[in-house]
Amino acid sequence: MPQLIDFSAFIFDMDGLVLDTEPTYFAAWQQAVKAMGYQLEPDACKALSGFDYRQVEAQLQAWLGHDFNTLTFKQLGAECWRNHVYEHGIMVKKGVIALLDYAQQQEIPVCLATNSSAIYVQECLAIAGITLRFPLVVTSDDVERVKPKPDIFLKAAERMQVDIHHCVVFEDSPTGILAASASGAYTVYIPSTFPVKPLTVELSDCVLDDLTQVFETLPAQSSFRI
């Protein structure tokens, strides 16, 4: 079993892994779809976990028909989302801060690597109050191919100047795990949507309930404690 200290860098997904944003997106998308006169099953949006926005629009059109106006949806969805998060905030998920503190103590570089666009990433991090914890960020704006392709993680390793095989990737979605596994990184899966797909588990090097378990499963060779 590897130790945390064995890795040269940590790569974090954002939505559903660092920040509890996915429920805010799902609620906003449902509101926007309903306002446009369409209907989705209550849990339909969970299938979009880990998708970038272009993939979300494509899937919604597949479900709702080609007459579904994606521009209207984008405008309404953004409005609904901002109304929600500026009223309720965005929660940082359990174990994130402890792991970032550990990385800082051990001088392990970290990078946020997400399918979200740069403008949303900066807004989400600012609302959650953790912008300064991620000096390096790779978004869908930085690559031609988003997850499930590995490009975002490869770009993150490149920016940290670390071989991807010496990186551990923390991910919460099947889409992200596909990308992380293909990149060659050590892949830690912390599911945010259920049921969990057997293939996703199979592709993962490690499966945990939350990030606090990282210190139990991949023990740290230091006096640091959560």
Side-chain angles (χ1 to χ4, degrees):
M1 178 64 67
Q3 308 263 322
L4 277 179
I5 204 74
D6 294 336
F7 298 105
S8 300
F10 296 162
I11 302 175
F12 294 82
D13 176 48
M14 185 182 77
D15 296 305
L17 189 284
V18 167
L19 299 179
D20 196 18
T21 48
E22 289 193 322
T24 69
Y25 295 145
F26 298 163
W29 295 341
Q30 284 280 12
Q31 290 174 27
V33 166
K34 186 176 181 181
M36 293 170 67
Y38 295 88
Q39 186 99 19
L40 284 175
E41 292 295 321
D43 290 335
C45 289
K46 289 183 180 179
L48 307 176
S49 176
F51 282 26
D52 89 310
Y53 197 75
R54 290 164 292 182
Q55 295 166 325
V56 170
E57 289 184 335
Q59 185 59 67
L60 288 174
Q61 278 199 320
W63 286 338
L64 302 173
H66 288 292
D67 290 338
F68 181 75
N69 190 313
T70 56
L71 180 59
T72 301
F73 169 76
K74 185 175 184 177
Q75 293 169 339
L76 280 174
E79 183 180 339
C80 292
W81 180 77
R82 286 191 172 87
N83 287 341
H84 179 87
V85 296
Y86 279 102
E87 181 177 353
H88 301 287
I90 298 175
M91 296 295 294
V92 179
K93 298 205 74 169
K94 186 178 179 181
V96 170
I97 299 302
L99 191 50
L100 290 173
D101 285 345
Y102 170 81
Q104 185 175 33
Q105 182 201 52
Q106 297 295 325
E107 298 184 344
I108 296 172
V110 301
C111 184
L112 196 71
T114 172
N115 266 359
S116 292
S117 65
I119 189 169
Y120 268 105
V121 172
Q122 295 307 322
E123 194 166 8
C124 287
L125 293 176
I127 293 168
I130 60 169
T131 301
L132 296 180
R133 301 309 300 259
F134 290 101
L136 291 177
V137 176
V138 176
T139 74
S140 59
D141 300 337
D142 297 313
V143 295
E144 289 186 13
R145 304 185 306 171
V146 296
K147 306 173 195 177
K149 300 298 183 182
D151 302 35
I152 281 177
F153 293 131
L154 296 172
K155 177 67 73 173
E158 179 187 314
R159 288 198 176 166
M160 291 186 290
Q161 298 183 319
V162 175
D163 188 315
I164 189 65
H165 297 95
H166 298 157
C167 297
V168 55
V169 168
F170 300 100
E171 261 288 356
D172 71 292
S173 72
T175 302
I177 291 297
L178 281 168
S181 176
S183 76
Y186 186 90
T187 303
V188 178
Y189 179 35
I190 297 126
S192 63
T193 57
F194 300 89
V196 172
K197 297 178 180 179
L199 175 61
T200 308
V201 173
E202 192 177 314
L203 288 172
S204 306
D205 293 301
C206 179
V207 182
L208 306 177
D209 293 329
D210 59 59
L211 281 175
T212 63
Q213 293 182 337
V214 168
F215 292 94
E216 302 164 15
T217 309
L218 303 173
Q221 294 178 336
S222 80
S223 60
F224 182 86
R225 292 293 180 268
I226 296 177

